[in-house]
């Protein structure tokens, strides 16, 4: 999907989003935030924060920055923030593939149900790595394509409808890892039938530059 398609899709979905994608997908969001084991004062960036369904799950002592490119989705997150008095949360309308944060700004960076929706998932993950501190952690919650199952074959057949559905059902984890040098340290199935995967990755910037230098 290109950026205009993302904007159009989420303009259309924003009003019904919490009803359709709220409770059903909340176990995955909860699993991400539990895995983070945040400490007081940690700085967390959540890219594609949407309507902010995850925001009440963070401890109030953690400083959370949520960004989203869709003004309609973000307006709902802002309403939730006001309603619940989430003063430790800051929300900004921003393209997560091209942020204005300095390098190494956050201890942890999360993308929940975002990478298969973003126009350029590789670029998005590289940006997550850039703004995350060296040895910080990245959390990616998404459905990834299983090529060797019947469901995987169905996903390939429905892939041409991705603009309409708002995500890529045939999204490949292998390709993302190859493109971004993501160092995955934990992979956990979550949500209904474990159909979605929670990835925890170590932001090993030093090792990457040594490898790059050696090559
Ligand atoms: C499926 S929703 C997930 C929202 C939220 N993370 C959740 O758990 O419900 C995907 C969100 O990613 C946002 N998004 C997609 N591409 C983006 C980008 N390049 N930068 C920022 N947000 C993006 C969309 O606007 C949308 O709000």
């Amino acid at each position: 999907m290109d950026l205009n398609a993302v904007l159009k899709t989420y303009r259309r979905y924003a009003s019904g989003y919490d009803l359709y994608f709220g409770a059903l997908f909340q176990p995955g969001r909860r699993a991400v935030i539990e895995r983070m084991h945040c400490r007081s004062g940690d700085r967390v960036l959540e890219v594609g924060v949407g309507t902010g369904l995850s925001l009440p799950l963070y401890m109030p002592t953690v400083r959370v920055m949520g960004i989203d490119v869709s003004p309609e989705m973000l307006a709902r997150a802002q309403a939730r923030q006001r309603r619940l008095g989430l003063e430790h949360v800051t929300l900004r309308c921003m393209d997560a593939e091209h942020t204005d944060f300095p390098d190494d700004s956050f201890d942890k960076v999360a993308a929940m149900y975002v990478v298969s929706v973003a126009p350029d998932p590789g670029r998005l993950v590289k940006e997550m790595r850039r703004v995350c501190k060296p040895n910080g952690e990245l959390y990616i919650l998404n459905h990834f394509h299983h090529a060797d199952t019947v469901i995987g074959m169905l996903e390939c057949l429905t892939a041409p409808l991705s603009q309409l559905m708002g995500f890529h059902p045939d999204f490949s984890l292998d390709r993302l890892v190859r493109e971004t040098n993501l160092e995955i340290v934990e992979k956990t199935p979550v949500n209904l039938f474990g159909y979605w995967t929670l990835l925890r990755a170590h932001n090993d910037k030093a090792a990457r530059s040594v490898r790059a230098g050696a090559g």
Side-chain angles (χ1 to χ4, degrees):
M1 293 213 291
D2 62 26
L3 200 57
N4 277 333
V6 171
L7 291 170
K8 204 167 142 196
T9 300
Y10 287 96
R11 188 174 309 134
R12 202 169 58 220
Y13 282 176
S15 62
Y17 187 86
D18 291 1
L19 183 64
Y20 299 113
F21 301 100
L24 196 60
F25 294 93
Q26 198 67 348
R29 298 182 187 99
R30 196 177 295 283
V32 171
I33 292 167
E34 279 171 10
R35 281 292 186 300
M36 281 184 180
H37 297 296
C38 282
R39 287 181 299 215
S40 291
D42 270 356
R43 294 198 63 190
V44 175
L45 172 65
E46 207 185 299
V47 302
V49 69
T51 62
L53 285 159
S54 61
L55 296 177
L57 304 175
Y58 289 97
M59 286 190 315
T61 51
V62 172
R63 288 174 294 162
V64 182
M65 169 68 72
I67 63 170
D68 202 285
V69 76
S70 161
E72 291 82 4
M73 293 290 275
L74 200 67
R76 287 172 187 274
Q78 285 160 338
R80 187 186 310 278
Q81 181 195 22
R82 278 194 300 274
R83 198 169 60 245
L84 301 179
L86 305 175
E87 284 169 15
H88 54 298
V89 174
T90 306
L91 295 168
R92 290 179 61 189
C93 196
M94 201 188 290
D95 180 354
E97 293 175 19
H98 307 274
T99 74
D100 58 15
F101 303 119
D103 291 356
D104 310 340
S105 295
F106 299 95
D107 300 287
K108 297 173 168 77
V109 183
M112 307 192 199
Y113 312 114
V114 179
V115 288
S116 58
V117 163
D120 184 344
R123 168 79 225 168
L124 176 82
V125 172
K126 284 178 193 162
E127 186 66 358
M128 289 171 68
R129 295 199 57 183
R130 184 186 71 76
V131 300
C132 183
K133 289 179 182 169
N135 300 321
E137 289 199 315
L138 308 166
Y139 297 82
I140 297 178
L141 170 60
N142 217 83
H143 168 67
F144 296 101
H145 178 54
H146 303 288
D148 50 347
T149 63
V150 175
I151 292 179
M153 280 155 62
L154 285 175
E155 286 168 355
C156 283
L157 291 174
T158 53
L161 300 175
S162 62
Q163 297 268 358
L164 197 68
M165 296 189 291
F167 75 105
H168 292 277
D170 60 343
F171 190 74
S172 155
L173 175 58
D174 289 348
R175 202 176 62 209
L176 187 69
V177 169
R178 268 199 312 275
E179 204 179 322
T180 61
N181 271 327
L182 206 54
E183 192 194 327
I184 296 170
V185 290
E186 194 180 338
K187 215 167 155 183
T188 314
V190 291
N191 290 340
L192 216 55
F193 310 122
Y195 187 66
W196 285 261
T197 304
L198 161 52
L199 302 176
R200 183 165 70 86
H202 179 62
N203 202 29
D204 189 355
K205 288 185 175 174
R208 199 165 87 98
S209 47
V210 169
R211 274 199 300 273

